[in-house]
Amino acid sequence: MSRQHHHLKTETEYYQAVEKGVKKFELRKNDRDFQIGDMLYLEETVNGTYTGRKLSPMEIKYILHGGKYGLDEGHCIVCW
């Protein structure tokens, strides 16, 4: 199976935390069937509007699937 490339909108507060290296995960609705080895491209937004800033691609290394540990079914946490 080939690697998927996911372009994700990320509000400034969270974009900056990833940019600084203090946030290394995303909590998302798993409507994209995220898989280990897929690539994430985080694109900064302000109130849903793209600013044009993008982070370097990040490879998904770990996924915590919902339905346990207080994480809703259909959601996941992806880490790089």
Side-chain angles (χ1 to χ4, degrees):
M1 184 174 224
S2 66
R3 174 188 302 219
Q4 295 293 316
H5 297 264
H6 306 281
H7 295 264
L8 305 175
K9 294 179 183 178
T10 305
E11 286 291 323
T12 298
E13 174 185 357
Y14 308 109
Y15 179 94
Q16 289 176 347
V18 173
E19 185 177 46
K20 291 176 185 174
V22 296
K23 181 176 178 276
K24 299 176 187 219
F25 67 92
E26 282 288 310
L27 168 61
R28 294 285 173 151
K29 184 173 183 179
N30 195 5
D31 56 357
R32 298 168 174 259
D33 191 30
F34 294 108
Q35 300 292 317
I36 293 173
D38 285 358
M39 300 302 291
L40 296 180
Y41 300 82
L42 298 182
E43 301 176 8
E44 183 184 40
T45 60
V46 174
N47 298 321
T49 302
Y50 291 106
T51 65
R53 292 185 358 134
K54 301 175 184 181
L55 294 173
S56 298
M58 296 169 285
E59 182 179 355
I60 295 175
K61 302 287 187 182
Y62 182 82
I63 303 171
L64 177 63
H65 295 278
K68 53 187 167 191
Y69 308 119
L71 186 58
D72 288 341
E73 186 73 37
H75 288 78
C76 65
I77 297 173
V78 297
C79 304
W80 48 86

Tab-separated table of all heavy atoms in Angstrom, residues 8 14-15 17-18 20 22 24 29 31 41 44-45 51 57 61-62 78:
chain	number	residue	atom	x	y	z
A	8	LEU	N	-3.251	19.310	6.320
A	8	LEU	CA	-4.171	19.613	7.405
A	8	LEU	C	-4.119	21.088	7.797
A	8	LEU	O	-3.040	21.653	7.975
A	8	LEU	CB	-3.822	18.772	8.640
A	8	LEU	CG	-3.774	17.261	8.435
A	8	LEU	CD1	-3.289	16.581	9.704
A	8	LEU	CD2	-5.129	16.734	8.020
A	14	TYR	N	-1.690	26.295	17.600
A	14	TYR	CA	-1.180	24.924	17.544
A	14	TYR	C	-0.049	24.795	16.526
A	14	TYR	O	0.918	24.071	16.738
A	14	TYR	CB	-2.327	23.963	17.225
A	14	TYR	CG	-3.474	24.192	18.177
A	14	TYR	CD1	-4.648	24.784	17.737
A	14	TYR	CD2	-3.356	23.885	19.531
A	14	TYR	CE1	-5.688	25.028	18.616
A	14	TYR	CE2	-4.386	24.133	20.422
A	14	TYR	CZ	-5.554	24.706	19.956
A	14	TYR	OH	-6.574	24.956	20.826
A	15	TYR	N	-0.155	25.531	15.434
A	15	TYR	CA	0.899	25.564	14.419
A	15	TYR	C	2.213	26.021	15.054
A	15	TYR	O	3.258	25.405	14.866
A	15	TYR	CB	0.489	26.504	13.284
A	15	TYR	CG	1.507	26.643	12.183
A	15	TYR	CD1	1.441	25.842	11.054
A	15	TYR	CD2	2.533	27.580	12.270
A	15	TYR	CE1	2.372	25.973	10.033
A	15	TYR	CE2	3.463	27.717	11.259
A	15	TYR	CZ	3.376	26.907	10.146
A	15	TYR	OH	4.304	27.032	9.146
A	17	ALA	N	3.101	25.939	18.202
A	17	ALA	CA	3.598	24.959	19.173
A	17	ALA	C	4.341	23.829	18.461
A	17	ALA	O	5.384	23.368	18.936
A	17	ALA	CB	2.448	24.396	20.002
A	18	VAL	N	3.838	23.402	17.309
A	18	VAL	CA	4.541	22.377	16.523
A	18	VAL	C	5.837	22.960	15.977
A	18	VAL	O	6.895	22.332	16.037
A	18	VAL	CB	3.650	21.840	15.377
A	18	VAL	CG1	4.441	20.901	14.469
A	18	VAL	CG2	2.420	21.129	15.927
A	20	LYS	N	7.705	25.225	17.187
A	20	LYS	CA	8.690	25.355	18.270
A	20	LYS	C	9.182	23.998	18.773
A	20	LYS	O	10.132	23.940	19.547
A	20	LYS	CB	8.079	26.126	19.443
A	20	LYS	CG	7.825	27.577	19.146
A	20	LYS	CD	7.122	28.245	20.320
A	20	LYS	CE	6.752	29.673	19.976
A	20	LYS	NZ	5.948	30.307	21.032
A	22	VAL	N	7.383	21.863	20.673
A	22	VAL	CA	6.803	21.456	21.950
A	22	VAL	C	5.548	20.594	21.779
A	22	VAL	O	5.148	19.906	22.701
A	22	VAL	CB	6.487	22.665	22.862
A	22	VAL	CG1	7.767	23.390	23.245
A	22	VAL	CG2	5.502	23.616	22.213
A	24	LYS	N	4.024	17.527	19.502
A	24	LYS	CA	4.464	16.512	18.549
A	24	LYS	C	3.357	15.514	18.255
A	24	LYS	O	3.607	14.335	18.031
A	24	LYS	CB	5.691	15.804	19.091
A	24	LYS	CG	6.844	16.780	19.305
A	24	LYS	CD	8.040	16.138	19.922
A	24	LYS	CE	9.029	17.249	20.232
A	24	LYS	NZ	10.371	16.917	19.986
A	29	LYS	N	-10.247	13.943	13.948
A	29	LYS	CA	-11.273	12.999	13.528
A	29	LYS	C	-10.589	12.108	12.487
A	29	LYS	O	-9.892	12.608	11.598
A	29	LYS	CB	-12.450	13.745	12.912
A	29	LYS	CG	-13.585	12.847	12.542
A	29	LYS	CD	-14.789	13.653	12.102
A	29	LYS	CE	-15.931	12.706	11.813
A	29	LYS	NZ	-17.139	13.420	11.412
A	31	ASP	N	-11.164	10.691	9.728
A	31	ASP	CA	-11.941	10.586	8.495
A	31	ASP	C	-11.042	10.441	7.271
A	31	ASP	O	-11.502	10.451	6.143
A	31	ASP	CB	-12.865	11.789	8.336
A	31	ASP	CG	-12.142	13.124	8.371
A	31	ASP	OD1	-10.901	13.137	8.571
A	31	ASP	OD2	-12.812	14.154	8.211
A	41	TYR	N	1.233	17.288	6.438
A	41	TYR	CA	1.661	18.619	6.035
A	41	TYR	C	0.752	19.600	6.774
A	41	TYR	O	-0.426	19.721	6.448
A	41	TYR	CB	1.505	18.807	4.522
A	41	TYR	CG	2.314	17.830	3.720
A	41	TYR	CD1	1.837	16.547	3.482
A	41	TYR	CD2	3.551	18.184	3.213
A	41	TYR	CE1	2.579	15.636	2.737
A	41	TYR	CE2	4.297	17.280	2.468
A	41	TYR	CZ	3.803	16.010	2.243
A	41	TYR	OH	4.540	15.112	1.507
A	44	GLU	N	-0.804	26.530	8.310
A	44	GLU	CA	-1.346	27.474	9.279
A	44	GLU	C	-2.603	28.163	8.752
A	44	GLU	O	-2.662	28.570	7.589
A	44	GLU	CB	-0.300	28.537	9.623
A	44	GLU	CG	-0.767	29.500	10.683
A	44	GLU	CD	0.233	30.591	10.946
A	44	GLU	OE1	0.843	31.102	9.981
A	44	GLU	OE2	0.410	30.947	12.119
A	45	THR	N	-3.595	28.292	9.659
A	45	THR	CA	-4.805	29.035	9.344
A	45	THR	C	-5.139	29.995	10.483
A	45	THR	O	-4.741	29.783	11.626
A	45	THR	CB	-6.019	28.098	9.130
A	45	THR	OG1	-6.243	27.347	10.317
A	45	THR	CG2	-5.807	27.168	7.955
A	51	THR	N	-2.835	31.033	5.865
A	51	THR	CA	-1.907	32.169	5.923
A	51	THR	C	-0.801	32.026	4.884
A	51	THR	O	-0.080	32.978	4.623
A	51	THR	CB	-1.232	32.265	7.310
A	51	THR	OG1	-0.418	31.096	7.502
A	51	THR	CG2	-2.250	32.395	8.420
A	57	PRO	N	7.192	18.475	5.948
A	57	PRO	CA	6.420	17.235	6.101
A	57	PRO	C	6.912	16.410	7.283
A	57	PRO	O	8.101	16.401	7.594
A	57	PRO	CB	6.681	16.483	4.796
A	57	PRO	CG	7.256	17.472	3.859
A	57	PRO	CD	7.866	18.558	4.666
A	61	LYS	N	4.443	8.283	13.040
A	61	LYS	CA	5.185	7.186	13.674
A	61	LYS	C	4.307	6.340	14.586
A	61	LYS	O	4.629	5.188	14.863
A	61	LYS	CB	6.359	7.740	14.501
A	61	LYS	CG	7.342	8.561	13.714
A	61	LYS	CD	8.177	7.700	12.826
A	61	LYS	CE	9.267	8.541	12.174
A	61	LYS	NZ	10.073	7.773	11.268
A	62	TYR	N	3.205	6.934	15.111
A	62	TYR	CA	2.353	6.220	16.059
A	62	TYR	C	0.939	6.779	15.967
A	62	TYR	O	0.759	7.984	15.734
A	62	TYR	CB	2.875	6.402	17.491
A	62	TYR	CG	2.073	5.647	18.518
A	62	TYR	CD1	2.292	4.293	18.745
A	62	TYR	CD2	1.082	6.290	19.244
A	62	TYR	CE1	1.550	3.598	19.680
A	62	TYR	CE2	0.341	5.601	20.188
A	62	TYR	CZ	0.567	4.257	20.399
A	62	TYR	OH	-0.170	3.559	21.314
A	78	VAL	N	-2.337	11.244	16.352
A	78	VAL	CA	-1.202	10.826	15.536
A	78	VAL	C	0.047	11.546	16.033
A	78	VAL	O	0.004	12.714	16.404
A	78	VAL	CB	-1.418	11.067	14.027
A	78	VAL	CG1	-2.578	10.236	13.516
A	78	VAL	CG2	-1.645	12.526	13.719
